[in-house]
Structures are given as structure tokens and as C-alpha cells.
Amino acid sequence: MSTDGQQFSPWRGDLPAVGIRPTIDGRLGGVRESLEERTMAMARSVAELIASRLRYPNGQPVRCVIAETPIGGVAESAACAEKFRREHVGVSLTVTPCWCYGSETMDMDPHLPKAIWGFNGTERPGAVYLAAALAGHTQKGLPAFGIYGRDVQAADDTSIPEDIGGKILDFVRCGLAVALMRGRAYLSMGGTSMGIAGSMVDYAFWEKYLGMRVEDIDMSEFAGRMAKGWYDKEEYERALAWVRAHCVEGRDYNTGDGVRSLEQLDREWEDSVKMTLIARDLMVGNPRLRTMGLGEQAQGHHAIAAGFQGQRQWTDHFPNGDLLETLLNSSFDWNGRRAPYIVATENDALNAAGMLFGFLLTNSAQVFADLRTYWSLEAIESASGVRLQHPDGADGILHLINSGPAALDGTGRQTAPDGTPTMKPFWEITDEEVQACLAAARFHPSITEYFPGGGWSVSYRTRGGMPATMVRLNLVDGLGPALQVAEGVTVELPDPVHDALNERTNPTWPTTWFAPRLTGHGAFTSAYEVMNNWGANHCVMTAGHVGHLYISLASILRIPVYMHNVERSRVFRPSAWRAFGTSDLEGADFRACRNFGPLYGRHGQ
């Protein structure tokens, strides 16, 4: 399978680079001269680490830009800033083995995520500069992450210890997520769906916190393009053939008057494929449309995330958006493997933001779901007649299920190096894994009672044993956005238990059984309390235990996290957060975020 699908990727062109700022003691006459090569070597080693370990969403290695010379004073700092502007730098990382002049060598750009690595050595006081520079950043309202090694290194030791390398890579992942969002768009395809608060798109949130704009279209844009044939006809035929060959039809659960004719179902396949092409073209554009005389439509909306309103203004009359949401959110289609498009069902823009965060942090597909049900062991036994005995589900399980964009990657048929199920970046997915994901899914005629306009729904069961992180972004009046994070693992239920529980709801939708990791504190005293404290009906599931990345990203954006089960040792926030409390870290996070305000809210874009 090829990766030709990247031709429609929103991640083409000049993506933001990581800027590396080697700072140095500016005193000439022996001091600076003795440190020049050591300082630049430190910068080069960091650049090599980043380029070898991190990739952009399009699969290309992350680009690093190093200052022309070590930065010993304000003139060289200004020259570095100018180079960074020319080179489209979106993340700032300062490194030094020695003392430097703090305010003269600081990065003063208010929008660049910042970190400083101060070398832990005794010959030269890199750690002293780190502390002084971080204090300056805190005093000036420009929060920066501090990176300081646990063990002392010799002055000539050019290696990057594991703890330092981990923090550098985690910071860069989060900083790049911020940089990749800036200047892009969220495309609201339709309006509010069924009164769901998350689909009441809040422009101020996207603009002030993420540096993005909101683009709007009416659902009639889909109807018009379908009726007028405003899509690539050749690609449509190829896509329809691929769907018919690879999307296996499942049982029709409709009965009586709800059963639709085979002719009608065939038309629904055709319309669903057209809708998929149109949604993608609306997001990122399609040069083929220009050759059809549709120059304006060919441009798209510069969107890296979108939401499809669907219910009910659309689905009462037209096929639902389940196929388009499922396929676009997956890491492959008829064009081959490619980066997922982020499309939220029911135009839940807040869940779209969570999906976007997870994708940019991991480069992998995301699962959109309702947090539908908490099943206690007693309830499971009552419904199935079986007493569940599963080490991960000893306190009950959560049922994640929704009509809509649960990516096919969510079947769990991709495998990590340690043998556990996962969802991979597209360039790591094998042809065999693509076929396994498709084989694990079934496409059912949608339930007519729910969707009078018809359409197709996908069902699958996520393979158990996948380390995963569940998140939700909420808006709170008077507070603003706030994030919830729950790490856990997917659970494989015995077939009789799964069937008994799953048949009680809509079996034509994808199911993930999820067990959050319990800590005995706060909302994580039980699986029930996790469900009981969740802030909305929807959630996002990301592969891997990446709650610490969500927390770091949220701190850069000034979004507090009010519920998480990430170990304290893994929580990494800007050093300024310590000034707001070191005992109650959750409270300190709220105070710091309120104090500094949204990343783009004070200084403008």
C-alpha cells in the first residue's frame, strides 16, 4: 500500500522548526573563547537528538535551526531572533554549559513555547544560569520549562543523559503541537447538533488559546456539491471501488418498516463516499477542482480539524456522516497510508480540540466516543450471567461507544514493539496491519430510527491490553477551558459478556472497554468516580500513556487540568508554576493559568 494520500495532507510546505539557542558567558579574554566549541557542540547534540527521534505529522524529521553563533549578549540574542523569524521557528530551546547574562540572552518572543537546559556540571555554573534565566522569565511573564539533570556531569561530557533527553523530547513534542496549530483553522461543517454544548463553537477559545480561526459552512454546501458533482469523479470511482472491496458489510439490525432496500443501500454507499471526498476537500482543498473551473472551492479552508453537524438537520434527509468520519480519522484510505484528518462527530468542537491535541502529540489516529456507561462487576454479572475476573477490570469498566469517527486504527490491530495493541503513526503501519484493521470492522446499515436519511455505521471491538489515555476538554463559565485526563488500558471481554453488554445499546457502533488506572485519590478512587466526574458526554482516546504530554501542552496553552491520574514524577510544567504552590499542584495549575492568561489572549496574534 502506498502513501500517496499525503498529496491531500494539510502538513505540506514549510512546517515550524525547533530553534536552538546556545547561550554563553559573554566575557572575552579567555572565558568565552574557552566555551565556544563546547557550547555549540551542546546545541548540535540536541539538534541531532530531536531530528533522529521526532517527526512532523507528514512523517518528515523535525527540522532544527541553530543560532549562527553562541549568544553572549543582547545583540547576538536579537540576531538569533531574526534568524528564527526567517527560518519559521515555532519552538525555542536554550542550552548552555555555563553562566550567561540572563536578561541579555533570554528569548523574549511571547508566543514561542520555551525551555532551557542548564548543564549540571561543577566546572562551570550552567545550573546557576538556568535558575537566573528562569527567574527572569517568571518575572517578565514569559513562562519557560526548566531542564536540569539529576546527576553531575564532567565538563567534557557531551552525552545527553536519559532524563534530560526525555524532557527535551517531551517539551519539543508539546511545543511543536502549539506551533503547528497556530494560524490554522477549525472548520465547523454545520452548526449546533442536538443541543450539545460542545458543538456551540466558541470562537474566542480557538483564537485566544490555540491561535486558530474558526471557519463556518452551512450543511447545504454538502447537498450542493453532491447535486452538482463538485468532486473529483475519477477519485470517486476509485474510492467507491476501494470501499466496496474493503469495507465488509455487517448485519442489518433494522426490522419491519426500518429495513431499507438494496437499491437504497447502494445509493447510500455512493453518497457516503461522495460526502467523504467533499468533507476532505472542504478542509484542505483539492487542486483537481481548479481544473473543473472551481478555483475558489479548490482552496479549501486551511483546516487541520473539523466537525460534522449531522444530527438531525442533515441525517433526517441524507445519509449520516459515519463513513466520512470513520475513514477520514483513520490513517489509510484508497490513496494509501496518510496522516489522519481530525473530524469530530456532531460538530463537537471541544472534542475535536482534544483529538487534535492527541494527534499532534503522538502523530497517530484518535478515537472519538461517548463515555456511555459504567459497568460494575455486579451489573456485568446481572446482565451476562458471568462474574468478570479480569485484572484490569477488577473495579468495573467504562464503555466507550459512539456513532461516528472512531478511526479504524482503534480496532487495536496495530502492534507496538513490546507486543501490545496500539495506534501508530501512518509511516509505521504495515500493509498487514491495514488489512487487519479493515477485517476487524463491519459496516452496517445505520439504524433507520436514529438516521431516517440512511447511511452506514461501523462496528468493531478494540483489542484488549492497549495502554491508552482518555481526555476531555470542557468550557467552564467564568473559568474558560479545562482539561481532564485519565490513563488506563483497554479490556478484552469474553465473547458472551461482550455480546450481552453490547447488545443492550447500539451494536452497529464501535466499542472500546476501558479501565482507568486508579490511584485512591480524588476522582480516581474508583472507575465509577471517573465516570461520575467526567465533564461531558464525549471523550477522546489516545494510544499510549501520554497523560504527561497532555498536561505539558495544556500548561503552554494556559489550560488548567482538573482531573488526572499521572504520577507526580511525570508532570512537567513551566518553572513559574512553582511560584503558585508546590504542595497542591492542581490548585497551583489553576492559579498559574489564570495569572498568565491564554497564550494569545494578551499579546494578540
Side-chain angles (χ1 to χ4, degrees):
M1 177 170 285
S2 71
T3 55
D4 293 339
Q6 288 299 96
Q7 65 182 307
F8 297 108
S9 172
W11 309 110
R12 302 186 300 272
D14 186 20
L15 298 178
V18 177
I20 300 177
R21 308 176 70 255
T23 56
I24 196 169
D25 191 324
R27 288 173 286 196
L28 290 168
V31 176
R32 175 167 179 150
E33 292 88 343
S34 68
L35 293 165
E36 290 268 357
E37 178 53 34
R38 174 72 180 86
T39 303
M40 293 303 287
M42 192 174 180
R44 289 192 294 269
S45 66
V46 169
E48 290 168 5
L49 171 71
I50 293 169
S52 66
R53 295 285 295 277
L54 300 182
R55 296 197 189 191
Y56 292 114
N58 62 12
Q60 296 300 310
V62 168
R63 182 171 61 95
C64 293
V65 175
I66 302 175
E68 292 290 345
T69 66
I71 301 167
V74 67
E76 288 166 323
S77 183
C80 174
E82 178 58 32
K83 179 177 183 178
F84 282 7
R85 281 190 288 271
R86 292 195 310 269
E87 296 280 351
H88 192 197
V89 164
V91 181
S92 172
L93 176 57
T94 298
V95 301
T96 188
C98 60
W99 166 255
C100 318
Y101 303 154
S103 64
E104 295 185 26
T105 59
M106 288 173 58
D107 178 355
M108 298 287 286
D109 189 314
H111 295 142
L112 290 185
K114 309 178 201 313
I116 304 171
W117 173 24
F119 186 76
N120 185 2
T122 55
E123 293 86 348
R124 296 286 184 178
V128 176
Y129 169 73
L130 173 65
L134 290 175
H137 279 280
T138 299
Q139 184 171 326
K140 295 175 184 297
L142 300 169
F145 290 77
I147 301 174
Y148 178 56
R150 176 173 293 275
D151 298 318
V152 175
Q153 293 179 259
D156 60 353
D157 185 353
T158 58
S159 67
I160 301 178
E162 185 177 348
D163 62 331
I164 293 295
K167 286 188 173 181
I168 288 173
L169 295 174
D170 285 350
F171 163 73
V172 172
R173 285 186 182 96
C174 298
L176 276 177
V178 172
L180 287 165
M181 286 188 284
R182 187 179 179 190
R184 301 288 186 142
Y186 173 79
L187 177 59
S188 176
M189 298 187 289
T192 303
S193 173
M194 300 185 296
I196 295 172
S199 65
M200 301 172 187
V201 184
D202 187 292
Y203 283 41
F205 161 71
W206 289 90
E207 293 167 3
K208 292 186 177 183
Y209 284 88
L210 308 186
M212 295 174 62
R213 69 176 71 212
V214 174
E215 292 278 288
D216 293 280
I217 63 159
D218 187 84
M219 295 300 294
S220 62
E221 183 74 12
F222 277 86
R225 291 194 184 204
M226 290 166 67
K228 296 177 180 178
W230 286 7
Y231 49 85
D232 183 343
K233 308 297 193 307
E234 185 277 330
E235 186 184 9
Y236 162 71
E237 295 295 341
R238 183 159 42 87
L240 183 61
W242 184 90
V243 165
R244 285 175 169 158
H246 295 284
C247 296
V248 181
E249 291 190 20
R251 173 183 167 186
D252 187 347
Y253 283 86
N254 291 293
T255 59
D257 293 340
V259 176
R260 307 191 294 276
S261 69
L262 292 178
E263 292 78 9
Q264 175 64 29
L265 293 175
D266 281 342
R267 287 195 297 272
E268 292 169 14
W269 273 124
E270 295 168 359
D271 285 343
S272 294
V273 172
K274 293 173 186 176
M275 290 163 58
T276 304
L277 294 173
I278 290 168
R280 184 204 63 198
D281 292 351
L282 284 164
M283 289 181 68
V284 302
N286 186 344
R288 175 65 176 165
L289 298 180
R290 185 171 289 107
T291 67
M292 298 165 59
L294 303 170
E296 181 181 359
Q297 290 77 11
Q299 297 181 57
H301 289 268
H302 200 51
I304 56 173
F308 184 81
Q309 177 189 3
Q311 299 183 74
R312 291 192 30 241
Q313 289 83 346
W314 177 263
T315 56
D316 277 6
H317 314 286
F318 299 95
N320 63 23
D322 288 20
L323 185 74
L324 82 84
E325 294 160 356
T326 296
L327 293 182
L328 290 180
N329 279 288
S330 299
S331 299
F332 47 83
D333 61 17
W334 49 89
N335 286 319
R337 289 164 291 187
R338 41 95 179 133
Y341 303 93
I342 300 301
V343 184
T345 195
E346 292 156 357
N347 197 26
D348 186 344
L350 293 177
N351 227 43
M355 294 169 72
L356 181 59
F357 293 171
F359 166 62
L360 293 176
L361 292 172
T362 66
N363 288 328
S364 61
Q366 306 294 298
V367 169
F368 179 117
D370 277 349
L371 183 52
R372 181 63 64 95
T373 311
Y374 162 71
W375 282 95
S376 67
L377 296 184
E378 292 74 21
I380 292 171
E381 185 173 12
S382 175
S384 69
V386 177
R387 183 70 177 183
L388 183 65
Q389 295 183 339
H390 194 293
D392 294 320
D395 193 61
I397 53 176
L398 304 179
H399 192 182
L400 277 56
I401 179 174
N402 187 276
S403 153
L408 293 172
D409 307 59
T411 58
R413 266 58 183 185
Q414 299 163 20
T415 304
D418 64 0
T420 58
T422 191
M423 293 185 281
K424 297 179 179 179
F426 76 87
W427 57 85
E428 295 180 4
I429 301 172
T430 67
D431 292 344
E432 292 75 19
E433 288 172 329
V434 169
Q435 296 306 317
C437 289
L438 288 163
R442 291 295 180 269
F443 291 79
H444 306 266
S446 63
I447 302 300
T448 308
E449 180 184 31
Y450 270 104
F451 303 113
W456 293 84
S457 295
V458 62
S459 73
Y460 60 71
R461 181 175 12 163
T462 302
R463 193 155 59 116
M466 179 193 297
T469 303
M470 186 174 71
V471 303
R472 171 66 190 185
L473 183 70
N474 297 302
L475 283 181
V476 183
D477 183 41
L479 171 67
L483 187 67
Q484 297 173 286
V485 178
E487 293 185 339
V489 64
T490 62
V491 176
E492 191 91 34
L493 296 183
D495 289 345
V497 177
H498 167 80
D499 293 342
L501 274 53
N502 203 51
E503 292 288 335
R504 290 172 66 112
T505 181
N506 192 326
T508 70
W509 296 344
T511 277
T512 301
W513 303 107
F514 180 77
R517 186 177 67 245
L518 304 180
T519 65
H521 302 288
F524 292 92
T525 56
S526 68
Y528 168 80
E529 285 300 324
V530 173
M531 174 82 180
N532 197 39
N533 282 277
W534 207 247
N537 52 311
H538 291 152
C539 67
V540 177
M541 192 186 78
T542 307
H545 287 160
V546 292
H548 63 298
L549 297 178
Y550 275 105
I551 290 172
S552 295
L553 173 61
S555 68
I556 298 174
L557 300 171
R558 321 292 191 252
I559 297 173
V561 179
Y562 68 98
M563 171 180 161
H564 76 81
N565 59 349
V566 177
E567 300 92 333
R568 181 166 178 156
S569 62
R570 294 168 58 213
V571 174
F572 189 32
R573 292 186 174 110
S575 64
W577 265 236
R578 299 172 194 147
F580 296 88
T582 58
S583 178
D584 174 17
L585 297 189
E586 184 173 291
D589 185 31
F590 274 78
R591 292 186 288 273
C593 288
R594 178 173 288 276
N595 178 73
F596 292 113
L599 183 58
Y600 306 101
R602 290 186 174 180
H603 303 283
Q605 297 182 46

